[in-house]
Amino acid sequence: MKNISSEIQASRQAFYDAISPLNLTPLWEVLHALVPPQPNSPCVPALWKYELLEPYLLGSAQLITAEEAVRRVLILENPALRGHSCITQSLYAGLQLILPGEVAPSHRHTQSALRFIVSGSGAYTAVDGERTTMQPGDFIITPSMTWHDHGHDGDEPMVWLDGLDIPMLRFFDAGFAENDTRPSQEVSRPEGASFARYGHNMAPVRAASPYGATSPIFSYPFQHVLRALQKMQRFEPVDAWDGFKLRYTNPLTGGWPMLTMGTFMQLLPKGFAGRPYRQTDGTVFSVVRGAGTAYIESASSQTEFHFEPRDHFVVPSWYTLRLTSTEGCMLFSYSDRPVHEALGIHKEERLIS
Ligand code: GTQ
């Protein structure tokens, strides 16, 4: 506000005090913050080094079983939003641990979940009667309101990244959840049945869409994405901002696999020094292979993260990101971009330097 006399200030304050009991407040005191000239996220960039958190994640198994915890997860909380169980204003991220022989009991909820497998193999997740065995680098979907449980018939601890739209559902006050009566749901279809139908650029002739607008395949195996990106690397020029980057799709629509969260995998070739870009969708990254550096900037801050396999980092909305990699690397990421696109508010700027 402009310079105003203390007399005017006092009379305005008296007015604000008078209207406050009526649950009224003046817009002109907050307009600038409510309608900012550009995004001004309360989140900050953050990095979770896997080697620092792994002992605690594995150690949590000494404290509580997967069954008692229901989901034994350490939440990745944005340092500027502690206590809110979120990594950005709209997204949740956590690392879930399951040991051989354990079961994370069946439940369902309106929140959609993605799993990105970080470490170990042999555990399965079951969705609507079909189990999927999980391998490192696989991207797996739990559609809204589908029954799901996790179990482990293998022989090593298994860790995956849980990405959920929990904060979005909380914002809309639209969350419902219920527990199953049995810890593990009955298996009603063989493993791979959904992928056979929908996972090969083919679809049933009278294509039913079992989960509405959400993808009918709940497993996107890493080996397929790896092959695609390695071929692109041979056949195509590298993108100066992204390296080689693909988004995951719903095979029935070509759109996003999930309504609330978009997912991506990218390969940065050896010696890649990317150009900077910024986007309105704050993004969570999971490092699959290799190492590199993320330079993240806003008008008032500069951050540099050196990342290695299994590390996670978050880039808030409208922060500038530049990625480099000497040895080459692969990065999985997810954001709330499908929602931005649906609302017509997604914005991206690819900068030259
Ligand atoms: O696996 O259903 O990390 O409901 C948080 C909430 C995982 C799950 C989380 C959940 C789940």
Side-chain angles (χ1 to χ4, degrees):
M1 288 244 138
K2 295 176 206 81
N3 267 345
I4 48 170
S5 74
S6 55
E7 199 181 326
I8 292 177
Q9 226 167 350
S11 58
R12 285 181 185 170
Q13 190 56 53
F15 174 83
Y16 305 157
D17 293 346
I19 64 173
S20 181
L22 303 177
N23 300 312
L24 295 170
T25 193
L27 170 64
W28 58 87
E29 290 288 343
V30 293
L31 180 59
H32 193 72
L34 282 187
V35 187
Q38 58 175 42
N40 182 22
S41 176
C43 305
V44 292
L47 169 71
W48 288 265
K49 293 295 287 179
Y50 195 74
E51 68 173 358
L52 294 182
L53 65 82
E54 186 183 31
Y56 295 104
L57 186 56
L58 297 179
S60 70
Q62 309 294 319
L63 297 176
I64 192 161
T65 62
E67 182 143 19
E68 189 191 348
V70 183
R71 299 293 181 260
R72 189 172 48 216
V73 175
L74 298 183
I75 301 173
L76 310 184
E77 278 199 322
N78 194 287
L81 298 173
R82 295 305 308 271
H84 296 277
S85 306
C86 58
I87 191 159
T88 69
Q89 295 237 83
S90 61
L91 297 172
Y92 163 102
L95 289 170
Q96 179 157 177
L97 168 71
I98 188 158
L99 298 182
E102 285 192 319
V103 166
S106 178
H107 69 184
R108 63 177 185 169
H109 38 72
T110 38
Q111 292 82 357
S112 297
L114 68 85
R115 328 277 170 199
F116 185 72
I117 315 312
V118 169
S119 177
S121 60
Y124 64 81
T125 189
V127 171
D128 256 5
E130 183 177 337
R131 287 184 177 178
T132 300
T133 306
M134 302 187 275
Q135 308 288 341
D138 291 355
F139 156 56
I140 285 163
I141 292 177
T142 310
S144 176
M145 227 44 197
T146 50
W147 294 109
H148 55 284
D149 52 273
H150 317 298
H152 196 350
D153 302 328
D155 52 21
E156 54 180 341
M158 209 171 148
V159 174
W160 63 80
L161 171 69
D162 279 329
L164 285 92
D165 52 16
I166 287 173
M168 267 186 253
L169 276 275
R170 184 167 60 193
F171 176 78
F172 290 116
D173 286 331
F176 293 89
E178 60 187 303
N179 290 321
D180 208 341
T181 47
R182 302 148 303 180
S184 303
Q185 61 183 294
E186 230 165 84
V187 175
S188 59
R189 275 175 296 163
E191 175 156 3
S194 298
F195 201 79
R197 278 196 189 144
Y198 300 99
H200 300 89
N201 297 319
M202 308 289 279
V205 176
R206 284 158 211 91
S209 182
Y211 309 111
T214 300
S215 173
I217 37 180
F218 19 81
S219 174
Y220 292 75
F222 177 63
Q223 286 311 318
H224 297 225
V225 188
L226 177 64
R227 225 177 294 137
L229 288 169
Q230 285 176 335
K231 288 211 166 150
M232 276 174 71
Q233 191 178 4
R234 295 218 319 266
F235 300 158
E236 289 182 25
V238 65
D239 181 274
W241 290 267
D242 292 339
F244 299 94
K245 187 171 188 176
L246 292 171
R247 66 177 179 86
Y248 293 83
T249 63
N250 175 338
L252 288 182
T253 64
W256 301 102
M258 319 175 80
L259 286 165
T260 48
M261 295 182 287
T263 45
F264 308 85
M265 183 76 89
Q266 73 197 103
L267 184 160
L268 307 184
K270 274 194 184 114
F272 183 74
R275 289 181 176 169
Y277 69 93
R278 55 183 176 175
Q279 303 184 319
T280 49
D281 50 325
T283 304
V284 180
F285 287 84
S286 180
V287 183
V288 184
R289 288 186 173 181
T293 306
Y295 299 89
I296 307 170
E297 277 184 43
S298 69
S300 58
S301 73
Q302 273 189 326
T303 316
E304 191 178 317
F305 292 147
H306 301 283
F307 57 77
E308 298 166 294
R310 302 173 188 173
D311 290 349
H312 293 83
F313 60 94
V314 61
V315 181
S317 166
W318 216 237
Y319 276 64
T320 300
L321 170 64
R322 186 161 61 83
L323 293 166
T324 68
S325 178
T326 308
E327 61 173 271
C329 66
M330 287 185 78
L331 303 172
F332 171 83
S333 56
Y334 71 98
S335 78
D336 55 3
R337 191 174 313 174
V339 181
H340 289 233
E341 290 184 349
L343 301 181
I345 55 170
H346 185 254
K347 185 166 165 142
E348 176 184 38
E349 273 182 11
R350 300 182 119 198
L351 308 166
I352 298 304
S353 61

